[in-house]
């Protein structure tokens, strides 16, 4: 899965969410967007539930599958 985190002040502390799968940092932009690849058997909702306690309320999480299928309304 490709995980996009918008409005981040700092990179994700991957060790706090390592239980869901294998995370890899991909990149970031200058506006607080970070993106990661995660190899997991978990669903998108399970990934969001795992991230929720680690992220601030202002962070928006978007997940795109390896197949390139974005959620409705993502594009």
């Amino acid at each position: 899965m490709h995980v996009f985190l918008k409005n981040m002040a700092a990179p994700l502390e991957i060790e706090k969410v390592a239980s869901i799968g294998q995370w890899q940092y991909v990149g970031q932009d200058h506006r607080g967007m970070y993106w990661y690849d995660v190899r997991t058997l978990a669903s998108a909702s399970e990934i969001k539930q795992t991230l929720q306690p680690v992220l601030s309320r202002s962070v928006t999480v978007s997940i795109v599958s390896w197949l390139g299928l974005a959620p409705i309304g993502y594009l």
Side-chain angles (χ1 to χ4, degrees):
M1 299 281 198
H2 305 292
V3 180
F4 299 90
L5 305 173
K6 186 176 179 181
N7 299 324
M8 294 283 288
L12 176 66
E13 295 180 41
I14 294 174
E15 59 278 352
K16 290 185 177 180
V17 292
S19 65
I20 200 81
Q22 182 181 4
W23 290 80
Q24 180 179 8
Y25 170 80
V26 176
Q28 70 185 72
D29 67 12
H30 298 289
R31 293 171 283 168
M33 172 81 79
Y34 287 81
W35 51 96
Y36 298 85
D37 284 343
V38 61
R39 290 179 172 225
T40 183
L41 295 175
S43 68
S45 62
E46 291 171 321
I47 294 170
K48 285 183 180 183
Q49 287 175 354
T50 301
L51 287 169
Q52 197 171 28
V54 177
L55 303 175
S56 71
R57 290 180 178 238
S58 65
V59 175
T60 303
V61 178
S62 299
I63 299 174
V64 180
S65 78
W66 289 105
L67 301 175
L69 304 173
I72 295 175
Y74 178 77
L75 302 175

